[in-house]
mmCIF file with all atom_site columns, all heavy atoms in Angstrom:
data_model
loop_
_atom_site.group_PDB
_atom_site.id
_atom_site.type_symbol
_atom_site.label_atom_id
_atom_site.label_alt_id
_atom_site.label_comp_id
_atom_site.label_asym_id
_atom_site.label_entity_id
_atom_site.label_seq_id
_atom_site.pdbx_PDB_ins_code
_atom_site.Cartn_x
_atom_site.Cartn_y
_atom_site.Cartn_z
_atom_site.occupancy
_atom_site.B_iso_or_equiv
_atom_site.pdbx_formal_charge
_atom_site.auth_seq_id
_atom_site.auth_comp_id
_atom_site.auth_asym_id
_atom_site.auth_atom_id
_atom_site.pdbx_PDB_model_num
ATOM 1   N N   . ASN U 1 186 ? -13.114 4.571   -25.410 1.00 98.00 ? 186 ASN U N   1
ATOM 2   C CA  . ASN U 1 186 ? -13.518 3.458   -26.270 1.00 98.00 ? 186 ASN U CA  1
ATOM 3   C C   . ASN U 1 186 ? -14.988 3.626   -26.658 1.00 98.00 ? 186 ASN U C   1
ATOM 4   O O   . ASN U 1 186 ? -15.876 3.067   -26.009 1.00 98.00 ? 186 ASN U O   1
ATOM 5   C CB  . ASN U 1 186 ? -13.287 2.144   -25.500 1.00 98.00 ? 186 ASN U CB  1
ATOM 6   C CG  . ASN U 1 186 ? -13.571 0.923   -26.332 1.00 98.00 ? 186 ASN U CG  1
ATOM 7   O OD1 . ASN U 1 186 ? -14.079 1.019   -27.461 1.00 98.00 ? 186 ASN U OD1 1
ATOM 8   N ND2 . ASN U 1 186 ? -13.262 -0.235  -25.797 1.00 98.00 ? 186 ASN U ND2 1
ATOM 9   N N   . PRO U 1 187 ? -15.244 4.383   -27.729 1.00 98.00 ? 187 PRO U N   1
ATOM 10  C CA  . PRO U 1 187 ? -16.625 4.734   -28.093 1.00 98.00 ? 187 PRO U CA  1
ATOM 11  C C   . PRO U 1 187 ? -17.527 3.519   -28.357 1.00 98.00 ? 187 PRO U C   1
ATOM 12  O O   . PRO U 1 187 ? -18.727 3.582   -28.121 1.00 98.00 ? 187 PRO U O   1
ATOM 13  C CB  . PRO U 1 187 ? -16.459 5.558   -29.375 1.00 98.00 ? 187 PRO U CB  1
ATOM 14  C CG  . PRO U 1 187 ? -15.056 6.059   -29.345 1.00 98.00 ? 187 PRO U CG  1
ATOM 15  C CD  . PRO U 1 187 ? -14.259 5.023   -28.618 1.00 98.00 ? 187 PRO U CD  1
ATOM 16  N N   . GLY U 1 188 ? -16.953 2.416   -28.837 1.00 97.00 ? 188 GLY U N   1
ATOM 17  C CA  . GLY U 1 188 ? -17.792 1.275   -29.198 1.00 97.00 ? 188 GLY U CA  1
ATOM 18  C C   . GLY U 1 188 ? -18.072 0.312   -28.053 1.00 97.00 ? 188 GLY U C   1
ATOM 19  O O   . GLY U 1 188 ? -18.756 -0.691  -28.232 1.00 97.00 ? 188 GLY U O   1
ATOM 20  N N   . VAL U 1 189 ? -17.560 0.602   -26.879 1.00 98.00 ? 189 VAL U N   1
ATOM 21  C CA  . VAL U 1 189 ? -17.627 -0.378  -25.787 1.00 98.00 ? 189 VAL U CA  1
ATOM 22  C C   . VAL U 1 189 ? -19.050 -0.505  -25.230 1.00 98.00 ? 189 VAL U C   1
ATOM 23  O O   . VAL U 1 189 ? -19.825 0.453   -25.223 1.00 98.00 ? 189 VAL U O   1
ATOM 24  C CB  . VAL U 1 189 ? -16.639 0.033   -24.667 1.00 98.00 ? 189 VAL U CB  1
ATOM 25  C CG1 . VAL U 1 189 ? -17.167 1.203   -23.859 1.00 98.00 ? 189 VAL U CG1 1
ATOM 26  C CG2 . VAL U 1 189 ? -16.307 -1.139  -23.764 1.00 98.00 ? 189 VAL U CG2 1
ATOM 27  N N   . GLU U 1 190 ? -19.394 -1.707  -24.806 1.00 98.00 ? 190 GLU U N   1
ATOM 28  C CA  . GLU U 1 190 ? -20.659 -1.939  -24.104 1.00 98.00 ? 190 GLU U CA  1
ATOM 29  C C   . GLU U 1 190 ? -20.429 -1.728  -22.617 1.00 98.00 ? 190 GLU U C   1
ATOM 30  O O   . GLU U 1 190 ? -19.395 -2.163  -22.086 1.00 98.00 ? 190 GLU U O   1
ATOM 31  C CB  . GLU U 1 190 ? -21.125 -3.384  -24.296 1.00 98.00 ? 190 GLU U CB  1
ATOM 32  C CG  . GLU U 1 190 ? -21.545 -3.737  -25.697 1.00 98.00 ? 190 GLU U CG  1
ATOM 33  C CD  . GLU U 1 190 ? -22.913 -3.177  -26.058 1.00 98.00 ? 190 GLU U CD  1
ATOM 34  O OE1 . GLU U 1 190 ? -23.719 -2.904  -25.135 1.00 98.00 ? 190 GLU U OE1 1
ATOM 35  O OE2 . GLU U 1 190 ? -23.153 -3.002  -27.268 1.00 98.00 ? 190 GLU U OE2 1
ATOM 36  N N   . ILE U 1 191 ? -21.368 -1.078  -21.951 1.00 98.00 ? 191 ILE U N   1
ATOM 37  C CA  . ILE U 1 191 ? -21.235 -0.884  -20.506 1.00 98.00 ? 191 ILE U CA  1
ATOM 38  C C   . ILE U 1 191 ? -22.439 -1.532  -19.815 1.00 98.00 ? 191 ILE U C   1
ATOM 39  O O   . ILE U 1 191 ? -23.587 -1.272  -20.187 1.00 98.00 ? 191 ILE U O   1
ATOM 40  C CB  . ILE U 1 191 ? -21.163 0.619   -20.143 1.00 98.00 ? 191 ILE U CB  1
ATOM 41  C CG1 . ILE U 1 191 ? -19.951 1.271   -20.833 1.00 98.00 ? 191 ILE U CG1 1
ATOM 42  C CG2 . ILE U 1 191 ? -21.076 0.802   -18.632 1.00 98.00 ? 191 ILE U CG2 1
ATOM 43  C CD1 . ILE U 1 191 ? -19.854 2.780   -20.641 1.00 98.00 ? 191 ILE U CD1 1
ATOM 44  N N   . PHE U 1 192 ? -22.164 -2.397  -18.854 1.00 98.00 ? 192 PHE U N   1
ATOM 45  C CA  . PHE U 1 192 ? -23.226 -3.046  -18.091 1.00 98.00 ? 192 PHE U CA  1
ATOM 46  C C   . PHE U 1 192 ? -23.110 -2.628  -16.635 1.00 98.00 ? 192 PHE U C   1
ATOM 47  O O   . PHE U 1 192 ? -22.030 -2.722  -16.054 1.00 98.00 ? 192 PHE U O   1
ATOM 48  C CB  . PHE U 1 192 ? -23.118 -4.573  -18.201 1.00 98.00 ? 192 PHE U CB  1
ATOM 49  C CG  . PHE U 1 192 ? -23.276 -5.071  -19.606 1.00 98.00 ? 192 PHE U CG  1
ATOM 50  C CD1 . PHE U 1 192 ? -22.157 -5.374  -20.372 1.00 98.00 ? 192 PHE U CD1 1
ATOM 51  C CD2 . PHE U 1 192 ? -24.531 -5.218  -20.172 1.00 98.00 ? 192 PHE U CD2 1
ATOM 52  C CE1 . PHE U 1 192 ? -22.289 -5.820  -21.684 1.00 98.00 ? 192 PHE U CE1 1
ATOM 53  C CE2 . PHE U 1 192 ? -24.682 -5.666  -21.484 1.00 98.00 ? 192 PHE U CE2 1
ATOM 54  C CZ  . PHE U 1 192 ? -23.552 -5.969  -22.240 1.00 98.00 ? 192 PHE U CZ  1
ATOM 55  N N   . GLU U 1 193 ? -24.207 -2.154  -16.072 1.00 98.00 ? 193 GLU U N   1
ATOM 56  C CA  . GLU U 1 193 ? -24.224 -1.805  -14.646 1.00 98.00 ? 193 GLU U CA  1
ATOM 57  C C   . GLU U 1 193 ? -24.869 -2.960  -13.899 1.00 98.00 ? 193 GLU U C   1
ATOM 58  O O   . GLU U 1 193 ? -26.025 -3.289  -14.153 1.00 98.00 ? 193 GLU U O   1
ATOM 59  C CB  . GLU U 1 193 ? -25.002 -0.505  -14.437 1.00 98.00 ? 193 GLU U CB  1
ATOM 60  C CG  . GLU U 1 193 ? -24.320 0.673   -15.097 1.00 98.00 ? 193 GLU U CG  1
ATOM 61  C CD  . GLU U 1 193 ? -25.076 1.993   -14.916 1.00 98.00 ? 193 GLU U CD  1
ATOM 62  O OE1 . GLU U 1 193 ? -26.093 2.025   -14.175 1.00 98.00 ? 193 GLU U OE1 1
ATOM 63  O OE2 . GLU U 1 193 ? -24.638 2.982   -15.515 1.00 98.00 ? 193 GLU U OE2 1
ATOM 64  N N   . VAL U 1 194 ? -24.121 -3.591  -13.017 1.00 98.00 ? 194 VAL U N   1
ATOM 65  C CA  . VAL U 1 194 ? -24.621 -4.801  -12.375 1.00 98.00 ? 194 VAL U CA  1
ATOM 66  C C   . VAL U 1 194 ? -24.333 -4.799  -10.872 1.00 98.00 ? 194 VAL U C   1
ATOM 67  O O   . VAL U 1 194 ? -23.498 -4.036  -10.374 1.00 98.00 ? 194 VAL U O   1
ATOM 68  C CB  . VAL U 1 194 ? -23.982 -6.087  -12.989 1.00 98.00 ? 194 VAL U CB  1
ATOM 69  C CG1 . VAL U 1 194 ? -23.990 -6.045  -14.504 1.00 98.00 ? 194 VAL U CG1 1
ATOM 70  C CG2 . VAL U 1 194 ? -22.574 -6.329  -12.471 1.00 98.00 ? 194 VAL U CG2 1
ATOM 71  N N   . SER U 1 195 ? -25.030 -5.666  -10.194 1.00 98.00 ? 195 SER U N   1
ATOM 72  C CA  . SER U 1 195 ? -24.631 -6.042  -8.842  1.00 98.00 ? 195 SER U CA  1
ATOM 73  C C   . SER U 1 195 ? -24.487 -7.550  -8.839  1.00 98.00 ? 195 SER U C   1
ATOM 74  O O   . SER U 1 195 ? -25.487 -8.271  -8.913  1.00 98.00 ? 195 SER U O   1
ATOM 75  C CB  . SER U 1 195 ? -25.678 -5.620  -7.813  1.00 98.00 ? 195 SER U CB  1
ATOM 76  O OG  . SER U 1 195 ? -25.436 -6.344  -6.618  1.00 98.00 ? 195 SER U OG  1
ATOM 77  N N   . ALA U 1 196 ? -23.257 -8.023  -8.786  1.00 98.00 ? 196 ALA U N   1
ATOM 78  C CA  . ALA U 1 196 ? -23.055 -9.476  -8.788  1.00 98.00 ? 196 ALA U CA  1
ATOM 79  C C   . ALA U 1 196 ? -23.632 -10.078 -7.505  1.00 98.00 ? 196 ALA U C   1
ATOM 80  O O   . ALA U 1 196 ? -24.053 -11.221 -7.486  1.00 98.00 ? 196 ALA U O   1
ATOM 81  C CB  . ALA U 1 196 ? -21.575 -9.802  -8.925  1.00 98.00 ? 196 ALA U CB  1
ATOM 82  N N   . ARG U 1 197 ? -23.646 -9.294  -6.427  1.00 97.00 ? 197 ARG U N   1
ATOM 83  C CA  . ARG U 1 197 ? -24.144 -9.794  -5.152  1.00 97.00 ? 197 ARG U CA  1
ATOM 84  C C   . ARG U 1 197 ? -25.644 -10.086 -5.234  1.00 97.00 ? 197 ARG U C   1
ATOM 85  O O   . ARG U 1 197 ? -26.113 -11.141 -4.824  1.00 97.00 ? 197 ARG U O   1
ATOM 86  C CB  . ARG U 1 197 ? -23.853 -8.791  -4.037  1.00 97.00 ? 197 ARG U CB  1
ATOM 87  C CG  . ARG U 1 197 ? -23.971 -9.365  -2.639  1.00 97.00 ? 197 ARG U CG  1
ATOM 88  C CD  . ARG U 1 197 ? -23.429 -8.390  -1.611  1.00 97.00 ? 197 ARG U CD  1
ATOM 89  N NE  . ARG U 1 197 ? -24.262 -7.210  -1.505  1.00 97.00 ? 197 ARG U NE  1
ATOM 90  C CZ  . ARG U 1 197 ? -25.334 -7.116  -0.721  1.00 97.00 ? 197 ARG U CZ  1
ATOM 91  N NH1 . ARG U 1 197 ? -25.681 -8.123  0.040   1.00 97.00 ? 197 ARG U NH1 1
ATOM 92  N NH2 . ARG U 1 197 ? -26.048 -6.030  -0.708  1.00 97.00 ? 197 ARG U NH2 1
ATOM 93  N N   . THR U 1 198 ? -26.416 -9.134  -5.798  1.00 97.00 ? 198 THR U N   1
ATOM 94  C CA  . THR U 1 198 ? -27.863 -9.335  -5.872  1.00 97.00 ? 198 THR U CA  1
ATOM 95  C C   . THR U 1 198 ? -28.283 -9.988  -7.185  1.00 97.00 ? 198 THR U C   1
ATOM 96  O O   . THR U 1 198 ? -29.400 -10.466 -7.303  1.00 97.00 ? 198 THR U O   1
ATOM 97  C CB  . THR U 1 198 ? -28.605 -7.987  -5.758  1.00 97.00 ? 198 THR U CB  1
ATOM 98  O OG1 . THR U 1 198 ? -28.324 -7.208  -6.942  1.00 97.00 ? 198 THR U OG1 1
ATOM 99  C CG2 . THR U 1 198 ? -28.157 -7.213  -4.527  1.00 97.00 ? 198 THR U CG2 1
ATOM 100 N N   . GLY U 1 199 ? -27.408 -9.952  -8.179  1.00 97.00 ? 199 GLY U N   1
ATOM 101 C CA  . GLY U 1 199 ? -27.736 -10.519 -9.489  1.00 97.00 ? 199 GLY U CA  1
ATOM 102 C C   . GLY U 1 199 ? -28.314 -9.492  -10.464 1.00 97.00 ? 199 GLY U C   1
ATOM 103 O O   . GLY U 1 199 ? -28.485 -9.776  -11.647 1.00 97.00 ? 199 GLY U O   1
ATOM 104 N N   . LYS U 1 200 ? -28.605 -8.290  -9.967  1.00 98.00 ? 200 LYS U N   1
ATOM 105 C CA  . LYS U 1 200 ? -29.235 -7.274  -10.820 1.00 98.00 ? 200 LYS U CA  1
ATOM 106 C C   . LYS U 1 200 ? -28.331 -6.884  -11.997 1.00 98.00 ? 200 LYS U C   1
ATOM 107 O O   . LYS U 1 200 ? -27.149 -6.605  -11.815 1.00 98.00 ? 200 LYS U O   1
ATOM 108 C CB  . LYS U 1 200 ? -29.549 -6.031  -9.974  1.00 98.00 ? 200 LYS U CB  1
ATOM 109 C CG  . LYS U 1 200 ? -30.541 -5.099  -10.628 1.00 98.00 ? 200 LYS U CG  1
ATOM 110 C CD  . LYS U 1 200 ? -31.218 -4.171  -9.616  1.00 98.00 ? 200 LYS U CD  1
ATOM 111 C CE  . LYS U 1 200 ? -32.252 -3.319  -10.358 1.00 98.00 ? 200 LYS U CE  1
ATOM 112 N NZ  . LYS U 1 200 ? -31.840 -1.935  -10.500 1.00 98.00 ? 200 LYS U NZ  1
ATOM 113 N N   . GLY U 1 201 ? -28.909 -6.869  -13.197 1.00 98.00 ? 201 GLY U N   1
ATOM 114 C CA  . GLY U 1 201 ? -28.179 -6.428  -14.387 1.00 98.00 ? 201 GLY U CA  1
ATOM 115 C C   . GLY U 1 201 ? -27.403 -7.534  -15.105 1.00 98.00 ? 201 GLY U C   1
ATOM 116 O O   . GLY U 1 201 ? -26.925 -7.338  -16.221 1.00 98.00 ? 201 GLY U O   1
ATOM 117 N N   . LEU U 1 202 ? -27.299 -8.700  -14.459 1.00 98.00 ? 202 LEU U N   1
ATOM 118 C CA  . LEU U 1 202 ? -26.455 -9.741  -15.056 1.00 98.00 ? 202 LEU U CA  1
ATOM 119 C C   . LEU U 1 202 ? -27.114 -10.458 -16.233 1.00 98.00 ? 202 LEU U C   1
ATOM 120 O O   . LEU U 1 202 ? -26.423 -10.972 -17.105 1.00 98.00 ? 202 LEU U O   1
ATOM 121 C CB  . LEU U 1 202 ? -26.026 -10.752 -13.993 1.00 98.00 ? 202 LEU U CB  1
ATOM 122 C CG  . LEU U 1 202 ? -24.935 -10.228 -13.047 1.00 98.00 ? 202 LEU U CG  1
ATOM 123 C CD1 . LEU U 1 202 ? -24.725 -11.189 -11.893 1.00 98.00 ? 202 LEU U CD1 1
ATOM 124 C CD2 . LEU U 1 202 ? -23.623 -9.998  -13.792 1.00 98.00 ? 202 LEU U CD2 1
ATOM 125 N N   . ASP U 1 203 ? -28.466 -10.461 -16.261 1.00 98.00 ? 203 ASP U N   1
ATOM 126 C CA  . ASP U 1 203 ? -29.151 -11.097 -17.385 1.00 98.00 ? 203 ASP U CA  1
ATOM 127 C C   . ASP U 1 203 ? -28.793 -10.418 -18.698 1.00 98.00 ? 203 ASP U C   1
ATOM 128 O O   . ASP U 1 203 ? -28.540 -11.080 -19.697 1.00 98.00 ? 203 ASP U O   1
ATOM 129 C CB  . ASP U 1 203 ? -30.676 -11.043 -17.189 1.00 98.00 ? 203 ASP U CB  1
ATOM 130 C CG  . ASP U 1 203 ? -31.145 -12.135 -16.235 1.00 98.00 ? 203 ASP U CG  1
ATOM 131 O OD1 . ASP U 1 203 ? -30.474 -13.185 -16.186 1.00 98.00 ? 203 ASP U OD1 1
ATOM 132 O OD2 . ASP U 1 203 ? -32.151 -11.932 -15.551 1.00 98.00 ? 203 ASP U OD2 1
#
Side-chain angles (χ1 to χ4, degrees):
N186 184 353
V189 75
E190 292 284 337
I191 300 175
F192 298 98
E193 295 180 6
V194 314
S195 163
R197 196 170 68 86
T198 68
K200 197 159 183 252
L202 285 171
D203 280 331

